């Protein structure tokens, strides 16, 4: 097995291109910021809020099976509306995630497999998240054209693009993958966003984490009911490099989840939208499926995926 940097294989990932779609302007550039309201006496601290956010994102379910659509394009603004300035790249994929807990610590394994375009079917990304402080995630990429598994070294924010999109395996960019102890937290205000009550919380990397990320801080809008981040601004220096918005919140199999995520790279004017049109939770997923075997063993992978697809028709949306 070889170790490579994601940057070196980026040209191969750029082939993931299909039909056109426009990215909704409202999801990209909603910048609601009404007057702040003072915190009530005895209100939750920033640390307490973020512990609940961690539970709502990482610990809300044991397994998740989902279909995924990732649309990416460069964009322009015309009359205040966002328009793709090029033919978007569209990737259809399936995602399987398994969360294990031991002594109140998480071990998350997820596998993302490309279904379309047909030329890239079978391309897969396997990610292991570890609870130990200072331990980086493991990421493996399988490219059918090369017929081998490569370990992805994502030690900087530009090194871990997911299938050529603005989504990244670098944990600073993903609220579901951040470790609580890697950041310090401060409530900036209590406000509303998209007509929902939120806390606006500033995340600052610890000295140890700051050596591994180029992000100076993250400002997050946390929904007060769901404890989910509905918007995040990620800063490099004093400028916003990326904005992440999460919407279409649904309760599926009793689990409250985000089904649409948009990442807007303000530096490059590129945007990616991830839609999850079908999701199921807490179904049986064999431990050995979320391993490298599922990347390379096609018959084994397809037998299991056929079972997982049947779960999607059984999911209860409430």
């Amino acid at each position: 097995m070889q170790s490579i940097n994601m940057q070196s294989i980026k040209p191969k990932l750029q082939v993931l291109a299909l039909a056109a779609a426009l990215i909704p302007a409202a999801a990209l550039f909603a910048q609601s910021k009404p007057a702040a309201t003072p915190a009530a006496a005895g209100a939750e601290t920033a640390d307490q809020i973020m512990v609940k956010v961690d539970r709502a994102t990482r610990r809300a379910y044991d397994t998740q099976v989902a279909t995924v659509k990732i649309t990416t394009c460069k964009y322009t603004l015309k009359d205040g509306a966002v328009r793709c300035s090029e033919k978007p790249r569209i990737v259809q994929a399936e995602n399987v995630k398994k969360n294990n807990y031991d002594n109140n610590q998480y071990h998350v394994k997820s596998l993302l497999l490309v279904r379309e375009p047909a030329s890239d079917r079978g391309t897969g990304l396997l990610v292991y998240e570890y609870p130990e402080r200072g331990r980086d995630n493991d990421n493996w990429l399988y490219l059918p054209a090369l017929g081998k598994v490569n370990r992805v070294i994502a030690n900087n924010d530009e090194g871990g693009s997911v299938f050529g999109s603005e989504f990244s395996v670098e944990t600073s960019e993903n609220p579901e993958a951040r470790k609580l102890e890697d950041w310090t937290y401060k409530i900036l205000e209590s406000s509303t966003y998209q007509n929902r009550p939120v806390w606006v919380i500033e995340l600052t990397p610890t000295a140890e984490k700051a050596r591994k990320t180029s992000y100076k801080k993250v400002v997050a809008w946390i929904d007060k009911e769901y404890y989910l981040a509905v918007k995040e601004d990620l800063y490099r220096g004093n400028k916003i490099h990326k904005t992440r918005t999460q919407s279409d919140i649904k309760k599926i199999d009793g689990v409250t989840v985000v089904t649409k995520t948009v990442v807007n790279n303000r530096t490059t004017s590129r945007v990616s939208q991830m839609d999850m049109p079908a999701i199921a939770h807490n179904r049986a997923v064999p431990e050995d499926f979320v391993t490298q075997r599922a990347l390379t063993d096609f018959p084994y992978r397809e037998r299991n995926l056929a079972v997982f697809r049947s779960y999607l028709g059984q999911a209860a949306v409430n």
Side-chain angles (χ1 to χ4, degrees):
M1 183 176 67
Q2 300 179 355
S3 293
I4 61 173
N5 192 292
M6 195 71 167
Q7 287 288 70
S8 67
I9 61 174
K10 221 169 190 180
K12 299 182 182 65
L13 299 183
Q14 299 301 322
V15 301
L16 300 176
L18 272 180
L22 293 178
I23 306 298
L28 296 179
F29 292 109
Q31 299 291 330
S32 172
K33 187 180 172 99
T37 56
E44 292 177 286
T45 67
D47 287 357
Q48 290 170 333
I49 292 168
M50 296 309 296
V51 166
K52 291 185 177 181
V53 170
D54 184 66
R55 290 173 180 168
T57 53
R58 184 182 282 117
R59 306 187 182 194
Y61 52 84
D62 294 326
T63 64
Q64 183 186 77
V65 178
T67 57
V68 176
K69 176 183 177 182
I70 303 175
T71 306
T72 301
C73 71
K74 286 188 71 68
Y75 66 85
T76 59
L77 290 175
K78 185 176 181 180
D79 298 326
V82 175
R83 295 288 183 268
C84 286
S85 59
E86 63 182 7
K87 185 177 182 179
R89 292 189 299 275
I90 298 178
V91 177
Q92 303 276 2
E94 295 172 296
N95 191 57
V96 179
K97 183 180 289 188
K98 190 174 182 67
N99 299 333
N100 294 320
Y101 304 103
D102 183 22
N103 295 325
N104 204 35
Q105 290 187 316
Y106 67 87
H107 298 260
V108 181
K109 300 177 180 180
S110 63
L111 180 62
L112 187 66
L113 295 163
V114 173
R115 302 296 297 181
E116 299 291 341
S119 59
D120 297 288
R121 184 172 298 158
T123 299
L125 178 66
L126 178 66
V127 178
Y128 283 10
E129 298 175 27
Y130 303 108
E132 293 85 0
R133 186 184 185 96
R135 183 178 181 181
D136 294 331
N137 293 345
D138 279 327
N139 309 279
W140 296 275
L141 180 74
Y142 176 72
L143 294 171
L146 300 180
K148 62 179 65 176
V149 177
N150 296 288
R151 187 170 182 271
V152 178
I153 302 172
N155 56 1
N156 61 70
D157 305 306
E158 300 299 338
S161 171
V162 175
F163 304 144
S165 73
E166 289 302 317
F167 293 94
S168 174
V169 297
E170 207 283 340
T171 57
S172 294
E173 296 191 13
N174 186 354
E176 293 189 0
R178 294 187 195 120
K179 297 180 182 179
L180 283 171
E181 64 272 17
D182 283 344
W183 304 80
T184 60
Y185 309 101
K186 179 175 69 174
I187 297 176
L188 299 181
E189 60 181 356
S190 181
S191 187
T192 60
Y193 176 77
Q194 298 293 300
N195 298 317
R196 299 277 304 174
V198 296
W199 292 285
V200 183
I201 296 181
E202 182 180 88
L203 291 69
T204 304
T206 63
E208 181 181 7
K209 179 64 177 177
R211 291 192 291 269
K212 298 181 178 181
T213 180
S214 63
Y215 287 110
K216 179 180 179 180
K217 66 179 180 180
V218 178
V219 177
W221 283 250
I222 306 298
D223 188 282
K224 289 188 176 183
E225 178 183 0
Y226 300 127
Y227 287 90
L228 295 172
V230 290
K231 177 187 172 185
E232 291 189 341
D233 285 338
L234 295 96
Y235 284 78
R236 286 185 175 172
N238 295 320
K239 294 184 178 180
I240 299 173
H241 176 56
K242 287 185 177 182
T243 293
R244 180 186 181 106
T245 56
Q246 302 195 134
S247 60
D248 289 14
I249 296 174
K250 299 177 182 178
K251 182 170 283 190
I252 302 174
D253 293 329
V255 179
T256 303
V257 290
V258 169
T259 62
K260 178 188 292 185
T261 302
V262 175
V263 175
N264 173 20
N265 188 323
R266 298 190 177 191
T267 303
T268 62
S269 296
R270 291 181 81 247
V271 65
S272 294
Q273 177 169 309
M274 180 184 292
D275 295 287
M276 300 175 70
I279 306 173
H281 293 106
N282 299 325
R283 305 302 205 277
V285 174
E287 189 68 36
D288 63 350
F289 182 79
V290 279
T291 66
Q292 293 186 41
R293 179 183 178 185
L295 291 174
T296 58
D297 188 336
F298 179 80
Y300 168 78
R301 179 176 70 241
E302 290 303 309
R303 284 197 305 271
N304 281 276
L305 286 175
V307 175
F308 301 158
R309 289 167 193 147
S310 70
Y311 297 159
L312 299 176
Q314 303 166 15
V317 180
N318 47 20

